[in-house]
Amino acid sequence: MLLKLVDGMDKNGLLSDDTGHILTGYIGSESFLRAVVTMVRKMKAVNSQVRYVCDPVLGDIGRFYVPQQLVQVYKDEIIPLADVLTPNQFEVEQLTGVRIENMEHAQKACCILHDVGVPLVLITSIVFPTSDQQSQDSMAIFASERIHGIETESYEDEQQILYVPKLPGQFTGTGDIVAALWLALTANSSALSLGQKLEQLAGTMNAIVGRTYRASLEKLQKQGINSLEEPKDEATRKKIVQSREMQLIQSANDILNPPIRFKATKISER
């Protein structure tokens, strides 16, 4: 179906230089993932400047959401096509074989992805087992960009890290929002540095998730549910999940005017 759609767009002249970006997220089957490979190659053949932003959704917190054989398809076929990659900690470990336990491991994993051909990598969430800088109630966001010299084969890798507070509970859809915001923040060359883009991303996400958390508490309190406790039955668990619908419309101003709440730190240059 996807390839038929792309073929139809092509026949009607809708694949052109006007296509600026491709964004993919959750893909649950190998056949559809391979169709995405064909689609991206076709669109890049029509317009070599189109940017492919890939959120390689595999799983989280040690658990796969998709068939494990998709990992190899991502490694062999998807990642070499990507201009931007936005994995979480679990996903980047699966894609690189590097277990991230400290800053150096995060740098090594990003370097592996850069070497495959991805210019910009955003690890959307990292919890280091031990860290002097990271508290137990925070997580890190790590961005790495490889910049090639104009007339030489030399390059520099710039890496930025930023710590944000964790909120209780799990919020479905945060990865999708992060990928979309990062696409927008990095869509055009601007005066913003990599660190400033990371700060804007973190500020907006903190505002959205914080607003969602507060709205969830209010809804659940009216139902007599304490969402900070582990639900003992499926009905309560379902109510908690439903209460955490992401407050996107309510956060429109924070999306358009990102609040700066956290400071990014440059790690190194290569």
Side-chain angles (χ1 to χ4, degrees):
M1 182 61 72
L2 175 63
L3 296 182
K4 288 182 179 179
L5 177 63
V6 174
D7 287 339
M9 292 174 64
D10 189 20
K11 291 176 182 177
N12 286 277
L14 298 177
L15 296 184
S16 66
D17 292 343
D18 293 333
T19 303
H21 300 83
I22 305 167
L23 173 62
T24 59
Y26 175 85
I27 298 170
S29 71
E30 184 174 345
S31 60
F32 196 89
L33 188 57
R34 292 190 183 281
V36 168
V37 172
T38 302
M39 177 199 70
V40 173
R41 286 174 177 165
K42 186 178 186 68
M43 296 186 74
K44 281 182 172 282
V46 173
N47 175 13
S48 62
Q49 298 304 308
V50 69
R51 293 173 79 235
Y52 176 31
V53 180
C54 174
D55 180 10
V57 180
L58 296 171
D60 198 8
I61 317 176
R63 182 170 67 90
F64 278 95
Y65 301 155
V66 301
Q68 292 189 32
Q69 62 262 32
L70 295 192
V71 173
Q72 200 61 45
V73 181
Y74 272 105
K75 292 170 69 173
D76 294 343
E77 301 184 54
I78 288 285
I79 291 177
L81 293 172
D83 299 285
V84 183
L85 204 66
T86 63
N88 60 31
Q89 182 174 0
F90 173 77
E91 290 159 351
V92 78
E93 289 177 344
Q94 298 302 315
L95 294 171
T96 64
V98 177
R99 183 171 176 82
I100 299 178
E101 297 182 336
N102 54 46
M103 197 94 66
E104 290 72 24
H105 294 160
Q107 290 177 286
K108 181 179 179 181
C110 287
C111 185
I112 290 172
L113 294 171
H114 289 322
D115 288 345
V116 176
V118 185
L120 181 58
V121 178
L122 177 76
I123 306 179
T124 60
S125 57
I126 303 176
V127 177
F128 296 115
T130 56
S131 173
D132 294 333
Q133 293 179 303
Q134 181 179 6
S135 71
Q136 292 183 344
D137 297 323
S138 70
M139 66 179 184
I141 308 174
F142 192 95
S144 181
E145 183 173 23
R146 175 160 293 183
I147 303 170
H148 289 273
I150 298 176
E151 298 179 354
T152 68
E153 295 182 358
S154 64
Y155 63 82
E156 291 184 350
D157 287 354
E158 179 184 352
Q159 281 125 2
Q160 297 271 350
I161 194 166
L162 182 150
Y163 295 93
V164 297
K166 292 189 293 185
L167 290 173
Q170 292 184 329
F171 299 85
T172 302
T174 53
D176 298 326
I177 300 171
V178 167
L181 290 173
W182 195 239
L183 184 157
L185 285 167
T186 61
N188 301 306
S189 298
S190 67
L192 292 178
S193 66
L194 181 63
Q196 289 172 322
K197 293 172 184 175
L198 194 59
E199 290 168 357
Q200 290 195 3
L201 172 70
T204 296
M205 285 304 302
N206 179 258
I208 294 172
V209 177
R211 186 172 288 108
T212 300
Y213 175 67
R214 292 189 295 273
S216 172
L217 285 181
E218 183 177 344
K219 293 175 186 175
L220 294 172
Q221 285 171 358
K222 291 179 180 178
Q223 301 177 63
I225 299 174
N226 183 355
S227 65
L228 297 182
E229 296 179 356
E230 182 67 24
K232 298 179 180 180
D233 59 275
E234 186 60 31
T236 301
R237 184 179 292 107
K238 185 176 181 179
K239 289 179 180 179
I240 292 175
V241 172
Q242 290 175 339
S243 75
R244 291 175 179 165
E245 180 178 355
M246 301 303 290
Q247 300 287 291
L248 285 176
I249 302 301
Q250 298 84 346
S251 303
N253 185 61
D254 295 307
I255 295 172
L256 295 173
N257 303 287
I260 305 302
R261 300 177 176 179
F262 313 102
K263 181 67 177 177
T265 301
K266 180 180 283 190
I267 304 303
S268 69
E269 293 184 355
R270 289 175 180 265

